[in-house]
Amino acid sequence: MSLRVEPVKRNSKDSTRIKQLYKNSFPANEQIPFWFLLWKARKKYIDFSAFYDEDVLVGFTYLISDKDVAFVFYLAIDDKQRSKGYGGLTLSKIRDLYPQNRIILNIEAIDEQANNNEQRIKRKRFYLKNGYKNNGYLVKSGKNWFEVLTKGGDVTPQEYSKLFKKLAGPLLSIFINPKYRNY
């Protein structure tokens, strides 16, 4: 089993399915308008990619890169394709595409009071099993705290902020000031 990667564009054959997967995979308060993701994906430092096993869409990723850091901003595997090894294959493919980069991603912080705490624990185990490690700090986005995981080396809060502001652009960056706390 191997994955084929295709860029996601407005006119991609599966852009409607990818948009639906995006809407179903992330809480509304964590979603950026889909049109904005597509618009920003025209930049060299953004990779919006669909992953296929032959002709079957298994998922997508949205990455922002700067120098030797790649930030997995979104990663989603289709519900029908979960528990078949595609998540691990997607992470391996990201490593293949960014062999010299430190890879960073966020997961919802473990919180015994959260309705989905079991899901958060399972997600963290999955990433740890795939070689990611705790980077030592949490980042706050909106009202939620996210654990920062990395592979290939640590990423400082300053590097993290730079990637996030690169996505937002100069105007929106004025309003974005991520908050950090040690883990």
Side-chain angles (χ1 to χ4, degrees), residues 96-135:
D96 293 346
L97 295 170
Y98 294 91
Q100 304 302 318
N101 289 57
R102 294 170 288 153
I103 310 291
I104 185 172
L105 55 84
N106 295 340
I107 59 170
E108 291 175 299
I110 304 299
D111 178 358
E112 292 179 8
Q113 306 304 313
N115 295 344
N116 67 340
N117 196 50
E118 285 300 315
Q119 180 186 48
R120 293 175 184 207
I121 292 168
K122 185 177 176 183
R123 187 175 293 128
K124 183 173 180 176
R125 279 190 201 126
F126 166 76
Y127 285 114
L128 294 175
K129 183 179 115 186
N130 281 280
Y132 285 78
K133 69 178 196 82
N134 182 302
N135 198 63

Side-chain angles (χ1 to χ4, degrees), residues 12-24:
S12 296
K13 70 175 182 166
D14 287 319
S15 63
T16 302
R17 288 181 58 210
I18 292 165
K19 180 178 182 179
Q20 194 59 49
L21 175 58
Y22 172 67
K23 296 274 185 197
N24 294 338

Side-chain angles (χ1 to χ4, degrees), residues 41-138:
R42 299 176 308 157
K43 303 288 186 182
K44 285 184 177 184
Y45 54 86
I46 303 277
D47 285 325
F48 194 178
S49 302
F51 292 79
Y52 293 87
D53 185 355
E54 296 187 16
D55 289 331
V56 177
L57 173 68
V58 298
F60 75 87
T61 59
Y62 195 89
L63 285 90
I64 307 152
S65 60
D66 184 54
K67 298 178 185 167
D68 70 332
V69 181
F71 181 12
V72 181
F73 199 68
Y74 292 115
L75 184 156
I77 303 297
D78 187 279
D79 285 346
K80 297 176 193 117
Q81 306 305 325
R82 289 191 185 146
S83 299
K84 296 181 180 179
Y86 290 121
L89 280 173
T90 300
L91 292 175
S92 291
K93 194 61 128 173
I94 291 169
R95 175 48 72 201
D96 293 346
L97 295 170
Y98 294 91
Q100 304 302 318
N101 289 57
R102 294 170 288 153
I103 310 291
I104 185 172
L105 55 84
N106 295 340
I107 59 170
E108 291 175 299
I110 304 299
D111 178 358
E112 292 179 8
Q113 306 304 313
N115 295 344
N116 67 340
N117 196 50
E118 285 300 315
Q119 180 186 48
R120 293 175 184 207
I121 292 168
K122 185 177 176 183
R123 187 175 293 128
K124 183 173 180 176
R125 279 190 201 126
F126 166 76
Y127 285 114
L128 294 175
K129 183 179 115 186
N130 281 280
Y132 285 78
K133 69 178 196 82
N134 182 302
N135 198 63
Y137 60 89
L138 301 172

